[in-house]
């Protein structure tokens, strides 16, 4: 199994590769070799290191229904935003958060709770990161927090996550 994740492949090819790795990874030990399982694990580890994955993640969220792949994509998105924070503009961050909240609102009924929770973990991380980088410009930071919290109010109650965890960051 060779990796397609790194190399500019289409999101459809990435999804196929991740689905194959997911099937192998979730198979009983008697059905796959240790080497196959190790290769499948490496596919997911390599996927998590994908640089600038934002468009690919959005495409995967829009077209994939496999909960493990959705979870791994949410983890990749969170890792990438935190890893690449200094390279992202305020507009990019706001756009990403808007997309995340819209996805959560659209898929509140059909996504597994662990997928939604993984995406929701991103919100306090971004607020915290913003607060540490925005001490010099408190007004912009406050407006950014309001932006996130207003949009979070629309989504969070639908899957039982308390807004208090976000408000503590203000």
């Amino acid at each position: 199994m060779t990796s397609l994740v790194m190399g500019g492949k289409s999101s459809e090819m990435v999804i196929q590769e991740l689905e194959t790795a997911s099937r192998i990874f979730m198979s009983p030990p008697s059905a796959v070799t240790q080497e196959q399982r190790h290769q499948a694990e490496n596919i997911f580890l390599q996927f998590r290191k994908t640089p600038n994955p934002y468009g690919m993640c959005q495409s995967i969220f829009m077209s994939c229904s496999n909960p493990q792949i959705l979870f791994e994509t949410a983890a990749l998105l969170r890792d990438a935003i935190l890893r690449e924070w200094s390279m992202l503009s305020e507009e990019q961050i706001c756009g990403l958060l808007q997309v995340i909240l819209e996805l959560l609102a659209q898929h509140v009924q059909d996504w597994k709770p662990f997928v939604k929770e993984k995406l929701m973990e991103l919100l306090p991380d971004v607020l915290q990161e913003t607060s540490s980088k925005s001490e010099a410009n408190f007004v912009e930071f406050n407006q950014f927090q309001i932006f996130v919290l207003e949009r979070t109010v629309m989504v969070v109650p639908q899957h039982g996550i308390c807004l208090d965890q976000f408000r503590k960051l203000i």
Side-chain angles (χ1 to χ4, degrees), residues 10-93:
S10 70
S11 58
E12 293 83 19
M13 292 180 78
V14 172
I15 291 170
Q16 287 177 337
E17 179 182 20
L18 293 173
E19 285 176 342
T20 300
S22 177
R23 278 192 297 278
I24 291 169
F25 197 71
M26 300 305 285
S27 296
S30 60
V32 295
T33 67
Q34 188 69 7
E35 178 62 25
Q36 288 174 311
R37 190 172 303 281
H38 181 68
Q39 287 177 343
E41 183 179 347
N42 281 336
I43 295 294
F44 284 111
L45 291 173
Q46 191 175 13
F47 178 65
R48 288 246 186 133
K49 295 177 183 176
T50 304
N52 196 19
Y54 312 108
M56 180 183 65
C57 288
Q58 184 175 359
S59 180
I60 291 171
F61 285 132
M62 303 285 272
S63 62
C64 184
S65 61
N66 181 313
Q68 183 180 9
I69 294 172
L70 293 171
F71 178 86
E72 292 295 333
T73 302
L76 165 61
L77 185 60
R78 180 178 178 269
D79 292 350
I81 288 174
L82 295 175
R83 180 180 62 236
E84 300 171 3
W85 180 262
S86 63
M87 297 180 281
L88 298 173
S89 70
E90 185 178 320
E91 293 84 28
Q92 289 173 309
I93 294 167

